[in-house]
Amino acid sequence: SEQLVDNLYQEVRKFASEAKTITCAKLQSQFGIGYARASNLLDKLEEDGIVSKPNGSKPRLVIHKED
């Protein structure tokens, strides 16, 4: 559900902010979620200016670190 994605989003955002790069596979492994959900979360991170746009199959760069 959308609420579950919102709840997980804060954890994913924190996880991403502590990394240099992020991928769907990292999110899937870390949070035990499927590809579609990981992809949606990555898209939300991009919308919020946390990670870079996709660059082919390369990991996305984390461009905003949490304080």
Side-chain angles (χ1 to χ4, degrees):
S1 77
E2 192 64 35
Q3 185 61 38
L4 286 176
V5 171
D6 289 349
N7 289 343
L8 190 56
Y9 178 73
Q10 293 306 318
E11 290 181 56
V12 168
R13 187 173 169 145
K14 184 176 187 310
F15 175 75
S17 74
E18 295 168 355
K20 291 181 180 175
T21 61
I22 196 85
T23 63
C24 277
K26 271 188 190 178
L27 293 181
Q28 287 175 271
S29 174
Q30 181 70 23
F31 296 99
I33 57 177
Y35 176 81
R37 189 168 180 192
S39 179
N40 288 338
L41 286 162
L42 264 182
D43 289 344
K44 177 73 171 137
L45 289 171
E46 179 188 335
E47 285 175 25
D48 291 349
I50 307 299
V51 301
S52 65
K53 293 187 180 301
N55 184 12
S57 62
K58 293 181 181 174
R60 294 185 189 217
L61 297 176
V62 176
I63 54 178
H64 174 78
K65 299 285 187 181
E66 299 287 314
D67 293 332

